[in-house]
Amino acid sequence: MSIDLTPPPLVVAITSRALFDMEDSHALFEAQGVEAFSAFQREREDQPLEPGIAFPLVRKLLALNARSGDEAPHVEIILLSRNSADTGLRIFNSIQHHGLDIRRATFTSGEPVWPYIRPFGTQLFLSANPESVRQALQAGIAAATILPGGAAASAHEQIRIAFDGDAVIFGDESERVSRERGIEAFGLHERERAREPLSGGPFRGFLQALHDLQAAFPAGDAAPIRTALVTARSVPAHERVIRTLREWEVRLDEALFLGGREKGPFLEAFRADIFFDDTLHNIDSARRHVAAGHVPHGVANETLETSPNA
């Protein structure tokens, strides 16, 4: 009996507002309610929606399937929407118009979408709704709130994904030391524990899945995926990070230890398709240059208000 060694696909769930530009219709819904929103969508159901913040990333991820030439997909995109199936017809028409190979979708008619994230086997969830993202994180799934910004879609074909370290790839215990006891205590804490691996954060599983996906393609300049760690850490706090990734046997193609410098210009230089960070200050810097996803996890987010429409 032959054994199927084909790795399972990377599954990314995305909401319609993260995939397409639906801010006008969402504003109408907020101001006038569901009936006005539904009429607006039906009247325009043959008018394709414009790409949203996460659209370029989704298009590049799906292109990996055509590149591999295998029947089994390397990436699967799941659409989750709080539209009804009726008003969602415009979304389906837009998917077809833009040539996106999205075959699975859930329409909840106003109910939360997050309960359906895990049954689909999702490894990453992208949404414009912070409450849905928080619920996904609590369920142990990597998730980020996609925020609007001034970033232009990158022209290169390679997928470039950048991550913050503490409270994203790693746990937030070191960041907690920095916030509660200061930068000197943080430096001492990391030097004393340089050979002790950091705990995994909410994006550890997604990073592993991305690493496994990279292994399905040739390495080097022709690799279709490139990853980067972009962290405020500086030398000598780098050693624990490097040893942790070595312990996990996970590859990151680039590592930028910025020592507190503003991240946005470095992400632009890396040409990131998306950047994930737990700190809104860093997200505000990043989204002027690249698409950015806020990860509301860890000590930096303990005092944030939780509003489903924030």
Side-chain angles (χ1 to χ4, degrees):
M1 182 178 66
S2 62
I3 299 175
D4 184 5
L5 299 177
T6 304
L10 174 71
V11 180
V12 177
I14 186 167
T15 60
S16 51
R17 283 179 58 206
L19 181 61
F20 294 117
D21 183 356
M22 300 184 66
E23 294 311 301
D24 288 346
S25 57
H26 182 70
L28 179 66
F29 169 77
E30 292 288 323
Q32 299 184 32
V34 66
E35 290 187 7
F37 170 83
S38 298
F40 181 89
Q41 294 293 66
R42 290 193 195 99
E43 290 168 1
R44 293 161 177 78
E45 64 185 26
D46 293 324
Q47 298 177 18
L49 292 159
E50 293 296 318
I53 298 296
F55 182 96
L57 174 66
V58 167
R59 183 173 56 188
K60 286 186 177 184
L61 285 169
L62 288 172
L64 292 176
N65 295 333
R67 176 170 178 158
S68 69
D70 298 331
E71 290 186 8
H74 284 290
V75 178
E76 184 175 5
I77 304 296
I78 309 296
L79 179 76
L80 302 178
S81 176
R82 295 181 69 175
N83 280 262
S84 66
D86 181 57
T87 59
L89 184 58
R90 188 183 184 192
I91 298 170
F92 273 129
N93 290 342
S94 300
I95 288 171
Q96 185 175 13
H97 170 81
H98 290 289
L100 301 177
D101 186 16
I102 297 177
R103 305 182 184 185
R104 292 185 170 91
T106 296
F107 293 91
T108 65
S109 298
E111 291 298 305
V113 300
W114 62 263
Y116 298 101
I117 298 170
R118 182 175 290 281
F120 277 119
T122 302
Q123 286 126 338
L124 174 66
F125 174 56
L126 303 176
S127 174
N129 187 301
E131 182 59 26
S132 292
V133 168
R134 293 187 186 97
Q135 294 287 351
L137 288 168
Q138 290 176 13
I141 297 165
T145 308
I146 300 299
L147 298 174
S154 59
H156 56 85
E157 294 183 0
Q158 191 177 54
I159 300 167
R160 295 192 166 215
I161 301 179
F163 304 88
D164 180 34
D166 296 300
V168 177
I169 294 176
F170 311 116
D172 76 332
E173 61 267 24
S174 296
E175 184 171 342
R176 192 174 293 274
V177 170
S178 176
R179 287 177 176 267
E180 294 177 354
R181 294 161 50 192
I183 193 66
E184 291 187 6
F186 166 79
L188 178 61
H189 180 270
E190 294 306 284
R191 288 194 297 273
E192 290 177 343
R193 294 163 177 79
R195 294 179 178 272
E196 177 183 321
L198 289 154
S199 67
F203 273 66
R204 177 181 176 179
F206 172 64
L207 180 63
Q208 180 66 59
L210 201 60
H211 172 84
D212 295 342
L213 180 59
Q214 284 178 293
F217 296 91
D221 294 338
I225 304 171
R226 191 167 183 83
T227 55
L229 171 71
V230 182
T231 174
R233 285 176 178 251
S234 59
V235 176
H238 69 294
E239 182 178 353
R240 192 178 185 195
V241 167
I242 293 171
R243 291 187 179 279
T244 298
L245 293 171
R246 184 184 297 171
E247 174 77 14
W248 293 353
E249 298 183 345
V250 168
R251 180 183 104 207
L252 279 165
D253 297 297
E254 299 189 24
L256 283 65
F257 297 93
L258 302 184
R261 294 289 296 271
E262 187 175 339
K263 293 185 178 182
F266 293 92
L267 291 162
E268 183 178 29
F270 175 65
R271 298 182 295 167
D273 289 297
I274 195 165
F275 170 62
F276 298 107
D277 198 293
D278 65 304
T279 307
L280 283 172
H281 169 75
N282 290 330
I283 291 294
D284 287 339
S285 171
R287 64 181 175 150
R288 295 196 297 269
H289 303 270
V290 302
H294 176 232
V295 182
H297 174 77
V299 64
N301 296 282
E302 287 181 350
T303 59
L304 290 180
E305 293 183 0
T306 58
S307 170
N309 296 314

